[in-house]
Amino acid sequence: MSSLNYHHLRYFRAIANEGSLTRAAERLKLSQSALSTQLRSLEDSLGQPLFHRQNKTLVLTEAGRIALDYAQSIFRSGEELLDVLRNRDSGRRQVLRVGAVATLSRNFQLTLLRPLIGRSDVELIIRSGNLRNLLAQLRAHTLDAVLSNLPVHRDAETNWHSHLLDEQPVSLIGLRTRTQKKFSFPEDLRTTPLVLPSLDSNIRVAFDLVLEQLGIRPIIAAEVDDMAMLRLLAREGAGLALVPPVVVRGELDTGLLVERHRVAGIRESFYAITPSRRFPNPALAEILRKENSSKEL
C-alpha cells in the first residue's frame, strides 16, 4: 500500500493555486521538470489524474478538487495545533459549495439548507448567479450543486442529474388594505398593475400563456429576475406579485401581504442539479436524502 508524501501535497497545492507548473516552480524555487516529477508521483500514489490542460492553464479534475480540499485541511492542521496549544477552540469542517439562481426563493433555499446551518462540522458556501455561469462552476468542480427552478438536460458533454426537490403553487400576492374588495380573476387583471418575474422564469411563461388564452393584456408595473427584489416590490405595493407563496411566507404570516388569487395549473418546481461524480459530497448527499424522505412521507 502506497503512503502519502506530504511534500507532494505541498507541491500539488502550489500548482493548483498558481494554475501553472512554471509559476509554481518559480515560487517553490524548483525546476519545472522536478516539480512535474513530484506531481506525477502524487497522481500515481492516488491513482487519479489531478489536472487536465485547458489552453495553457492547468485545471483541476474532480479528483483534483477533492485532493485540494483535503490538502488545505491537512495544512490547516498545523494552524489548528497552534490554536489548541494556545487554548483556542478549532475544529475541522466539511465544505459544501452551493450555487443558487437569482430567481430562486431565498425561503426555499433556507428551508433546504437548514439541517446544515449552525453545524460545527460543516461550512456552507452559497453563491448566486445566472444558471449558465453556475453550471460552468459546477463543471469546473468549484460547486457541488446548483439550485434552480428549471431542470437541466443531459448532453454528450455533461451528465447532469436534475433532482426534483419540491413543487409549489403560484399566486398573485399584494398588500393588505382596509378597503380591500374580493379579487375577481381574470377580469381585474385588466386594471391591476402586476409585478412579474422575467421571461427566463417558467412561471412567467406559463402565466403569459394563460393571459393570452384569456385575451388579457396585463399592466406590468415591474419585471424582475430576482425573487428577493420581487418580494420587496410586493411589500412596497408596486402591484400584485406573481410568486410562489413560499417566497413571501413571513409577510403572509404577519398579514402584511395577502394571497389575492391562486393561479390554477401553474406550479414552481425546485431542482438540485448535480453532475455524475465518483466522489459525491457527503453533506450534499445528506440533505438530498432528507428531502427525498420528506417527500415520501
Side-chain angles (χ1 to χ4, degrees), residues 86-120:
R86 292 171 182 170
N87 296 318
R88 292 200 302 256
D89 184 33
S90 180
R92 295 185 181 181
R93 312 184 79 189
Q94 183 180 349
V95 179
L96 176 63
R97 300 174 177 86
V98 177
V101 297
T103 55
L104 199 70
S105 162
R106 303 299 194 268
N107 285 337
F108 177 79
Q109 295 176 46
L110 183 62
T111 300
L112 178 69
L113 298 173
R114 184 170 282 122
L116 303 178
I117 295 173
R119 278 179 40 175
S120 61

Side-chain angles (χ1 to χ4, degrees), residues 1 20 38 46 64 81 96-97 125 136 138 143 162 172 180 182 184 193 203-204 224 248 263 268 277 289:
M1 181 176 177
S20 162
Q38 301 289 352
L46 297 176
L81 174 60
L96 176 63
R97 300 174 177 86
I125 297 175
L138 191 64
L143 289 177
S162 295
L172 292 168
Q180 195 161 272
K182 183 178 179 181
S184 178
I203 64 174
R204 170 65 186 280
V224 294
V248 290
V263 185
E268 176 82 297
R277 284 187 174 164
R289 278 197 306 271

Side-chain angles (χ1 to χ4, degrees), residues 9 12-17 39 42-43 46-52 58-72 97 140-142 277-279:
L9 278 181
F12 158 67
R13 185 178 66 161
I15 297 169
N17 290 336
L39 175 61
L42 178 61
E43 290 178 325
L46 297 176
Q48 300 287 341
L50 301 177
F51 295 98
H52 65 83
L58 291 177
V59 178
L60 288 168
T61 63
E62 179 189 350
R65 170 56 58 185
I66 292 170
L68 181 60
D69 285 343
Y70 275 97
Q72 302 284 30
R97 300 174 177 86
H141 311 299
T142 58
R277 284 187 174 164
R278 295 177 58 191
F279 313 102

Side-chain angles (χ1 to χ4, degrees), residues 228-274:
M229 178 56 72
L230 195 148
R231 169 175 164 264
L232 291 176
L233 289 173
R235 289 169 56 99
E236 292 296 317
L240 290 186
L242 180 73
V243 292
V246 67
V247 173
V248 290
R249 181 187 296 149
E251 289 83 357
L252 291 174
D253 290 343
T254 61
L256 176 65
L257 298 177
V258 292
E259 188 177 13
R260 303 299 304 277
H261 179 79
R262 181 160 292 187
V263 185
I266 301 180
R267 297 182 69 82
E268 176 82 297
S269 299
F270 299 92
Y271 296 90
I273 301 166
T274 64

